[in-house]
């Protein structure tokens, strides 16, 4: 479903200084497959995730999605099909707004719906209640915020979801809840995942195949 071909990303960090974050990265993700991307902090794994979801443009190489070469920025047709769930759930919500005001935007943009009952139905699948929608982010735990962020991103039925360390800031119980929800959703809808992590145990449990990255280059396990 998605192929990365010889992706390289170089950052300019000064008038004469450049930093190569990733080099010549190639791999593919099949429909309904979970690919684990395992590496230490600074290894380049988050750079790959951001390229895959259109937040960064590669310096070299190309990305093919459903046999079409993607251009940057992604088209309006592609954007909802490739989404990302970040490590820090609090960045997904405006601290000055109630949760309902942060979470309803994709429903309006992609589902053409302002129906609160649809939103409630989606968050209830995540083990949350209607009352969570009327709270501010500071009034919720990290696990609750991450489940809300997950409900929002899954509401538009993406074909590929980049999971950028989605449980690393959560306690063990919340980690298990998020992983269970992701597994159940994938079984139902056939969504593909790129699971970025530094935890080999989680990668082994959750992934169909694991790619290791070290200093910007892939090492296949």
């Amino acid at each position: 479903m998605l192929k990365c071909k010889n992706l390289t990303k170089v950052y300019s960090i000064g008038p004469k200084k450049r930093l190569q974050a990733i080099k010549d990265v190639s791999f593919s993700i099949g429909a309904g497959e979970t690919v684990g991307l395992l590496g230490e902090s600074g290894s380049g794994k988050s750079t790959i995730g951001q390229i895959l979801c259109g937040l960064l443009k590669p310096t070299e190489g190309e990305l093919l999605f459903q046999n079409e070469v993607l251009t940057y920025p992604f088209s309006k047709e592609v954007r909802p099909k490739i989404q990302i769930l970040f490590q820090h759930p609090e960045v997904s919500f405006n601290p000055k707004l109630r949760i309902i005001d942060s979470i309803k935007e994709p429903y309006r943009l992609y589902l053409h719906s302002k129906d609160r009952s649809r939103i409630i139905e989606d968050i209830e699948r995540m083990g949350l209640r209607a009352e969570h929608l009327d709270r501010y982010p500071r009034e919720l735990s990290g696990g609750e915020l991450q489940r809300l962020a997950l409900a929002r991103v899954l509401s538009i039925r993406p074909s590929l979801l980049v999971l950028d360390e989605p449980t690393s800031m959560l306690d063990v119980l919340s980690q298990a809840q998020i992983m269970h929800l992701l597994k159940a959703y994938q079984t139902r809808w056939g969504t593909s995942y790129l699971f970025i992590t530094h935890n080999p145990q989680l990668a082994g449990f959750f992934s169909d195949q694991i790619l290791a990255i070290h200093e910007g280059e892939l090492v296949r396990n």
Side-chain angles (χ1 to χ4, degrees):
M1 185 191 61
L2 181 135
K3 292 183 179 180
C4 307
K5 298 177 67 175
N6 307 111
L7 295 180
T8 294
K9 179 63 180 178
V10 179
Y11 295 99
S12 295
I13 56 176
K16 296 183 179 180
K17 194 170 182 180
R18 286 156 45 101
L19 173 67
Q20 184 169 269
I22 59 171
K23 179 182 178 182
D24 200 28
V25 169
S26 298
F27 66 93
S28 61
I29 305 175
E33 182 182 30
T34 298
V35 173
L37 185 59
L38 182 64
E40 299 176 349
S41 178
S43 61
K45 58 187 187 298
S46 289
T47 295
I48 293 172
Q50 291 182 50
I51 289 173
L52 262 61
C53 67
L55 295 177
L56 287 176
K57 182 179 180 180
T59 306
E60 297 177 13
E62 63 182 11
L63 194 63
L64 288 84
F65 179 67
Q66 297 176 341
N67 296 318
E68 297 286 337
V69 176
L70 295 181
T71 57
Y72 292 77
F74 289 173
S75 69
K76 64 180 181 179
E77 290 79 20
V78 170
R79 282 198 304 270
K81 295 179 181 179
I82 305 177
Q83 294 290 307
I84 186 167
L85 184 69
F86 291 104
Q87 175 182 13
H88 298 278
E90 63 273 12
V91 305
S92 300
F93 299 97
N94 187 326
K96 296 181 180 180
L97 297 178
R98 296 184 188 275
I99 293 297
I100 183 63
D101 295 314
S102 291
I103 208 172
K104 66 184 180 183
E105 192 64 9
Y107 291 85
R108 183 184 67 82
L109 286 175
Y110 299 117
L111 304 177
H112 308 291
S113 172
K114 297 180 181 179
D115 188 354
R116 180 183 170 101
S117 64
R118 167 67 190 274
I119 299 175
I120 292 172
E121 182 181 338
D122 284 347
I123 69 167
E124 284 179 343
R125 292 196 188 100
M126 302 293 164
L128 300 165
R129 301 180 301 278
E131 64 188 63
H132 286 96
L133 295 175
D134 298 314
R135 297 180 185 177
Y136 290 94
R138 64 179 179 274
E139 298 175 314
L140 300 173
S141 69
E144 289 168 333
L145 287 174
Q146 193 64 303
R147 280 182 281 162
L148 285 162
L150 182 58
R152 179 171 61 183
V153 78
L154 293 181
S155 69
I156 56 177
R157 305 284 187 263
S159 300
L160 172 68
L161 180 57
V162 176
L163 302 164
D164 191 357
E165 303 255 18
T167 64
S168 64
M169 303 301 293
L170 306 179
D171 58 51
V172 174
L173 177 59
S174 295
Q175 282 188 17
Q177 290 172 333
I178 293 293
M179 303 304 283
H180 174 75
L181 290 166
L182 286 165
K183 280 277 194 182
Y185 185 88
Q186 186 178 53
T187 298
R188 181 179 181 185
W189 295 103
T191 308
S192 302
Y193 297 141
L194 176 70
F195 179 52
I196 297 171
T197 183
H198 65 275
N199 187 319
Q201 288 76 31
L202 272 181
F205 164 75
F206 193 63
S207 307
D208 298 305
Q209 65 164 310
I210 299 174
L211 306 175
I213 185 167
H214 178 68
E215 295 183 351
E217 297 188 60
L218 287 186
V219 181
R220 295 182 185 271
N221 287 356

